[in-house]
Amino acid sequence: MLYLQLFWTYLKIGTFTIGGGYVMLSMIEREIVDRKGWIDREEFMNMIALAQAAPGLIAVNSAIFIGWRIGGWRGVIATVLGAVLPSFLIILAIAMVFQNYKDLPAVEAVFKGVRPAVVALIAAPLCRMAYSAKITWATAIIPIAGALLIWLGGLSPVWIIFVTVVATLLYTYLKEKKNRTAKRSDSEQRERSNSETV
């Protein structure tokens, strides 16, 4: 029953999502975290971060992570099939008839109208992710600088990811080293005060 629920949840999301994987994130979060309660929000955000860092489509990657977390291999099969099947069938149907109707004014008007909605649907989960990740105005410079380097500077996203990973590891190492030094000095100070008391 769980696997059928996973398949049905992702089938609904995959069928009614316009704009790709990032648009699916808010719908997945609403279904998996808010309504079903299968995983908590922090774990969901960690899974999305991993899905973004891993190669491939974010919709499929997130389906794999969430399916594995909830139902193991069978969960993965259910979520991936649910996420991919609607897109495959819809694109197949469109590809068969699109050449005949792509130049019609009504079709062009529909595509022009859908574009701004897709931008909004992509922006909504990104803002939510930024809020959940506790990004402040001070730390917002990192994603903004990365986006500008990719957009205006023509820098490959691979380098942005690489530099971010290295910088994060270095920051974590230095922070832990500073904490260990502070704890060591506190313990030495306590020992010194204890010896003076004795």
Side-chain angles (χ1 to χ4, degrees):
M1 193 65 184
L2 174 65
Y3 308 119
L4 188 60
Q5 286 182 334
L6 283 169
F7 174 76
W8 178 245
T9 298
Y10 268 85
L11 187 73
K12 287 189 298 183
I13 293 169
T15 302
F16 297 105
T17 300
I18 298 173
Y22 284 98
V23 177
M24 292 178 73
L25 294 181
S26 59
M27 298 177 72
I28 294 169
E29 183 179 6
R30 192 179 306 118
E31 288 288 329
I32 302 295
V33 178
D34 298 333
R35 291 186 182 170
K36 306 287 186 185
W38 284 329
I39 59 175
D40 59 36
R41 198 170 307 281
E42 185 177 354
E43 189 175 8
F44 176 79
M45 297 308 299
N46 291 337
M47 285 184 180
I48 295 306
L50 287 172
Q52 288 175 311
L57 303 172
I58 190 167
V60 176
N61 290 347
S62 64
I64 290 170
F65 280 117
I66 292 170
W68 176 261
R69 169 64 180 81
I70 296 170
W73 282 112
R74 292 179 182 176
V76 170
I77 293 169
T79 53
V80 170
L81 272 178
V84 171
L85 197 59
S87 302
F88 174 76
L89 294 176
I90 291 168
I91 292 297
L92 182 64
I94 290 173
M96 292 169 65
V97 299
F98 185 67
Q99 290 295 327
N100 299 329
Y101 301 103
K102 67 176 183 177
D103 294 326
L104 291 176
V107 174
E108 291 180 5
V110 166
F111 281 116
K112 286 179 181 177
V114 166
R115 286 175 197 154
V118 169
V119 172
L121 289 170
I122 292 172
L126 291 177
C127 292
R128 193 176 293 112
M129 287 171 63
Y131 177 76
S132 300
K134 297 179 175 64
I135 293 178
T136 62
W137 287 109
T139 56
I141 190 69
I142 297 169
I144 291 171
L148 289 174
L149 285 171
I150 294 169
W151 178 40
L152 299 175
L155 190 66
S156 171
V158 174
W159 287 109
I160 301 291
I161 294 170
F162 177 75
V163 169
T164 304
V165 168
V166 171
T168 305
L169 291 173
L170 184 63
Y171 172 77
T172 305
Y173 170 76
L174 293 174
K175 188 176 180 181
E176 288 180 0
K177 187 178 178 181
K178 183 180 178 181
N179 289 340
R180 283 195 301 267
T181 305
K183 287 179 182 177
R184 192 180 306 122
S185 69
D186 286 345
S187 63
E188 288 174 358
Q189 190 173 5
R190 277 196 297 269
E191 287 176 7
R192 195 178 304 114
S193 63
N194 289 339
S195 63
E196 288 174 359
T197 305
V198 171

